[in-house]
């Protein structure tokens, strides 16, 4: 490499590819949870918060 060459990473000289269409915010919305699912989630969360934490071996 001589002194007239610039230290340029040519791989970074190109624009990023377009984002995946899966990343866009528009489209199908998530369905809201039913009251039964909400109760179940609250119960499981309550149980998880009361259990003592286990340490990884």
């Amino acid at each position: 490499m001589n002194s007239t060459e610039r230290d340029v990473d040519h791989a970074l000289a190109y624009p990023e590819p377009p984002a995946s269409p899966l990343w866009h915010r528009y489209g199908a919305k998530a369905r809201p949870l039913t009251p039964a699912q909400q109760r179940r989630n609250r119960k499981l969360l309550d149980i998880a918060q009361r259990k003592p934490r286990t340490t990884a071996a």
Side-chain angles (χ1 to χ4, degrees):
M1 182 177 218
N2 62 31
S3 61
T4 60
E5 291 181 34
R6 293 183 299 173
D7 291 331
V8 176
D9 186 354
H10 291 285
L12 299 177
Y14 298 97
E16 287 188 27
S20 165
L22 299 175
W23 294 352
H24 293 289
R25 293 176 190 231
Y26 53 84
K29 301 273 187 211
R31 289 180 310 215
L33 292 175
T34 65
Q37 290 171 319
Q38 292 174 0
R39 281 192 300 274
R40 180 174 184 271
N41 284 350
R42 278 195 292 270
K43 186 192 305 184
L44 292 174
L45 179 63
D46 187 48
I47 291 169
Q49 290 176 334
R50 292 173 190 272
K51 279 172 92 171
R53 292 187 67 169
T54 58
T55 57

